[in-house]
Amino acid sequence: MDEIDIEILSGRDNLDEVSIVLQRFLKNNEETYIFSNLSESDKRVLVWTALFQHLQRKSSISIHFLCLAAIRVLSRDNTELESLICEKWITTLIEKAGLYNFIDSGEDPSTSVELLDKEVAVEALKCLCNITYHSEVARAICAHTSISQGLIARFKIYKEIPFKYEIMLFDMKVLFILTALRQDIRAKIKNILNGMDCLINCLNDILLEAISQGKTLLANDRATAIERIYLEDLQQDIVCEILKAQFNLLLNSGSVEPSHDAETAIFTKLMPILKGYLLVSTSNAMNLMELRSNITNLLSSVPPSFYNYLSPELKEGEKAEFTYLGRNMDALQALVDFLQYSLTITPGRTNQYEFLAPILTVMNKSARGCRAHRKYLRQVVLPPLRDVSSPPEQGFKLRNQLCKLLTSPITFVRDLVADFLFILCKEKVGRMVKYTGFGNAAGHLAQRGLLGGGRGADYSSSSDDSDTEEYKEAQPRIDPVVGCTRPPRVNPFENMSDEQKEYEAMKLVNMFDKMVSQGIVKPARVGPDGRPQPIEHVLELRENPPTRPQS
């Protein structure tokens, strides 16, 4: 904007000219995110002040939408935003969003709905999203307003709003930002306003509406016709925002069992709904993966004892695409599919942790929290071995991709993968080595003090680990260190005399001793606690040679 436009904008008489200036500004700045020209001569202050002055005048109601649209565009740039924002401006945006209209006042909710202007309310919510995201001052002001009460009150009467989905999407975006960046708002919504219960109801209402719309898809390439609920794009966007807000509210509660009945009721109500969303279909694969990613993030904050709700027992006449031990495993298989997807897109990424940590955490919790889940995951991830001609980390199956991560430089991901595979092996060392190779498993076993063999926990005595005929035939040729067969090798000591063998052996000892003295390597042996212990000289290994781990 130039000086003439700002002068027109600052006037209060000719609204037609103001409208023309704003429309031109919006057209010319659809893709603009930085407004460096406004840093000159206090232009930024003048423009923002003029826009909010119009918003606060009833006489300017005809241009309120344009003013909000201009604020939305300008708020993409956080330059000087902290010094610009004031309480009056934030409360003005909250009022224009219609949030104060919905705070419980004993009036008929339909009255508040009639006062809601869709276009103005949506633009005001978009402005709040941008400003609260960029400005801690704005978030602090929100913490001292009734925006939380307004959001929760509106959640309860979405059914009364004809254009509820458009409003709902940006309500949830505002809620996500505030609960992510302000601990006091998060605590208030969770503990005082019962926000989790309201959000669960919103999730349930969208799911029921999708079912009532009657748009279903049949599962492909299956003998039985399994229906899939179809979620529209806007519905999917809203559900993702709700899940992100719920994740904020449940933050740090994933490993702690509920301390009172109210928390138990929340998880008991939430899990069947999440199971339903794991079974929906969307317009494209990317939307589906985004939905499952947000479900996975939320599940990582759910205690393991509630995971059995993802696989209810099949009742008479019920069908499922994947079943095991009389349970519907469709939702668990959807998580397995998402794990496969996550493993496929992460190779070479620097943010491997961000992509893999949530789903691996969920897999661990699921396997530990429910015996049927562990057994199902075992047969999917670690099926009986047949072809053992290649190392476990080579290939594109789930076992191969997970074994490859056992040597990942990202230690948290490596440990999650190792824990998952160890659980599926019923925490038996021999079985872990069998499926991963000792070289891949050594780090995890050393951390647990299991290098000498044994098992880490007690599981049911029944075992479904029956070796295939192909594995039994190849077993004598399997090198346990690499986890696969090795071709016959020429014996390097053949045709050597005993003196030559002794000479070569001592030469090797001297080489190791030199590397130890130079600090290149630090030899160790397995101590009584099953963990590696350093030794002073490699000859000590001759006194207590290492033993092969036993299952």
Side-chain angles (χ1 to χ4, degrees):
M1 288 185 185
D2 56 24
E3 287 80 358
I4 297 175
D5 288 339
I6 295 175
E7 186 176 346
I8 294 172
L9 190 62
S10 301
R12 58 184 302 169
D13 297 326
N14 197 332
L15 296 181
D16 290 338
E17 288 187 4
V18 174
S19 177
I20 292 171
V21 168
L22 291 175
Q23 290 181 49
R24 184 168 61 246
F25 171 78
L26 293 171
K27 182 179 179 180
N28 294 336
N29 293 280
E30 288 181 357
E31 302 297 328
T32 305
Y33 290 84
I34 301 294
F35 298 90
S36 55
N37 62 312
L38 294 181
S39 298
E40 306 168 0
S41 306
D42 292 330
K43 287 182 180 178
R44 196 184 308 274
V45 176
L46 293 173
V47 171
W48 279 75
T49 302
L51 291 170
F52 274 98
Q53 284 177 343
H54 282 297
L55 283 177
Q56 292 161 13
R57 296 185 191 125
K58 290 186 178 181
S59 59
S60 300
I61 194 169
S62 61
I63 60 167
H64 280 183
F65 170 77
L66 291 174
C67 290
L68 288 166
I71 292 170
R72 170 178 55 81
V73 173
L74 289 169
S75 60
R76 297 169 181 167
D77 185 354
N78 62 0
T79 305
E80 301 179 48
L81 193 58
E82 296 286 35
S83 60
L84 282 170
I85 293 301
C86 64
E87 184 174 355
K88 182 60 177 176
W89 289 3
I90 294 298
T91 54
T92 298
L93 291 176
I94 296 173
E95 288 170 0
K96 293 302 174 185
L99 289 170
Y100 285 161
N101 299 341
F102 290 85
I103 298 177
D104 294 327
S105 60
E107 297 181 2
D108 184 354
S110 61
T111 305
S112 298
V113 171
E114 291 173 3
L115 296 173
L116 193 62
D117 184 313
K118 173 186 172 182
E119 290 187 337
V120 169
V122 169
E123 281 300 314
L125 287 168
K126 291 178 180 179
C127 293
L128 283 169
C129 287
N130 287 353
I131 293 173
T132 54
Y133 177 75
H134 287 301
S135 170
E136 172 56 28
V137 170
R139 295 192 293 271
I141 293 171
C142 285
H144 293 90
T145 68
S146 300
I147 189 172
S148 300
Q149 291 93 319
L151 286 167
I152 297 300
R154 186 147 73 185
F155 292 171
K156 297 176 182 178
I157 57 170
Y158 277 134
K159 293 179 182 179
E160 306 288 335
I161 305 175
F163 42 86
K164 65 175 182 179
Y165 280 161
E166 289 85 348
I167 293 291
M168 195 182 230
L169 176 62
F170 291 100
D171 276 354
M172 297 303 170
K173 285 180 179 289
V174 171
L175 180 69
F176 167 68
I177 293 169
L178 293 178
T179 53
L181 300 176
R182 287 290 300 196
Q183 185 177 356
D184 50 354
I185 294 179
R186 181 165 66 243
K188 181 178 182 180
I189 288 175
K190 179 183 178 181
N191 301 325
I192 300 175
L193 301 175
N194 298 318
M196 269 301 295
D197 193 56
C198 292
L199 291 172
I200 291 172
N201 290 336
C202 291
L203 278 181
N204 192 48
D205 289 344
I206 294 174
L207 189 62
L208 291 176
E209 190 160 333
I211 295 172
S212 67
Q213 287 170 351
K215 294 183 179 180
T216 58
L217 300 175
L218 297 181
N220 296 325
D221 303 323
R222 295 288 163 185
T224 56
I226 307 296
E227 291 186 340
R228 289 284 184 262
I229 303 162
Y230 181 78
L231 214 58
E232 300 283 357
D233 287 351
L234 184 54
Q235 291 174 322
Q236 183 257 343
D237 289 341
I238 295 169
V239 169
C240 287
E241 293 299 329
I242 295 174
L243 293 170
K244 289 192 289 187
Q246 289 179 315
F247 174 78
N248 292 340
L249 297 181
L250 292 183
L251 202 59
N252 300 325
S253 64
S255 58
V256 181
E257 291 298 325
S259 57
H260 49 77
D261 292 343
E263 287 186 358
T264 300
I266 287 293
F267 290 121
T268 303
K269 187 177 178 181
L270 173 66
M271 291 299 280
I273 297 173
L274 295 184
K275 178 245 178 190
Y277 277 108
L278 282 169
L279 304 182
V280 304
S281 295
T282 58
S283 61
N284 59 67
M286 290 302 297
N287 282 356
L288 185 60
M289 291 302 109
E290 182 188 7
L291 175 63
R292 289 181 179 176
S293 174
N294 283 292
I295 293 173
T296 300
N297 288 340
L298 183 56
L299 283 173
S300 68
S301 294
V302 174
S305 59
F306 293 91
Y307 273 64
N308 61 327
Y309 285 96
L310 295 176
S311 59
E313 292 186 3
L314 285 167
K315 298 177 182 178
E316 188 175 353
E318 284 186 340
K319 295 179 180 179
E321 193 174 355
F322 300 92
T323 62
Y324 191 73
L325 298 179
R327 302 175 77 100
N328 183 340
M329 293 292 179
D330 286 354
L332 185 58
Q333 182 59 43
L335 291 171
V336 172
D337 293 342
F338 182 67
L339 171 62
Q340 181 80 70
Y341 167 79
S342 300
L343 291 169
T344 302
I345 66 171
T346 51
R349 289 178 177 262
T350 56
N351 54 348
Q352 198 179 68
Y353 169 84
E354 178 185 338
F355 279 91
L356 291 177
I359 183 61
L360 288 171
T361 299
V362 167
M363 288 288 109
N364 282 344
K365 286 186 172 185
S366 183
R368 282 197 183 280
C370 182
R371 176 175 175 269
H373 287 194
R374 175 178 58 79
K375 294 173 75 68
Y376 179 80
L377 291 170
R378 165 68 193 281
Q379 73 171 10
V380 173
V381 178
L382 299 178
L385 293 174
R386 298 185 184 278
D387 182 7
V388 286
S389 60
S390 301
E393 67 272 14
Q394 290 183 10
F396 300 98
K397 294 181 179 178
L398 265 176
R399 178 175 77 104
N400 306 135
Q401 292 174 300
L402 290 169
C403 286
K404 193 180 300 182
L405 290 172
L406 289 173
T407 53
S408 170
I410 303 174
T411 56
F412 194 84
V413 170
R414 181 193 67 201
D415 292 344
L416 283 173
V417 171
D419 282 339
F420 179 47
L421 293 175
F422 201 45
I423 294 167
L424 296 189
C425 292
K426 298 173 74 171
E427 303 198 20
K428 292 184 177 180
V429 173
R431 191 176 292 185
M432 178 81 165
V433 171
K434 170 184 172 181
Y435 281 97
T436 68
F438 184 76
N440 290 325
H444 179 71
L445 299 178
Q447 284 184 341
R448 283 177 167 259
L450 295 172
L451 280 175
R455 58 191 296 167
D458 292 328
Y459 286 85
S460 59
S461 58
S462 62
S463 175
D464 53 3
D465 187 41
S466 56
D467 292 336
T468 63
E469 292 299 323
E470 295 90 337
Y471 180 80
K472 289 178 181 177
E473 183 180 346
Q475 191 170 12
R477 295 179 285 111
I478 294 176
D479 184 339
V481 174
V482 294
C484 65
T485 57
R486 286 285 187 91
R489 292 178 289 180
V490 177
N491 184 359
F493 296 108
E494 193 173 354
N495 299 323
M496 277 191 183
S497 65
D498 289 342
E499 290 79 6
Q500 287 175 311
K501 292 177 183 178
E502 184 71 21
Y503 172 76
E504 293 295 335
M506 289 308 300
K507 188 165 70 171
L508 185 61
V509 168
N510 290 332
M511 289 173 61
F512 269 113
D513 189 49
K514 185 178 180 181
M515 287 191 290
V516 171
S517 62
Q518 293 177 351
I520 298 174
V521 296
K522 189 174 184 181
R525 63 182 174 189
V526 179
D529 61 352
R531 290 181 168 84
Q533 294 181 348
I535 61 174
E536 296 298 327
H537 195 278
V538 292
L539 287 176
E540 293 181 42
L541 293 175
R542 299 181 64 180
E543 301 172 7
N544 295 293
T547 57
R548 178 178 295 188
Q550 301 296 318
S551 60

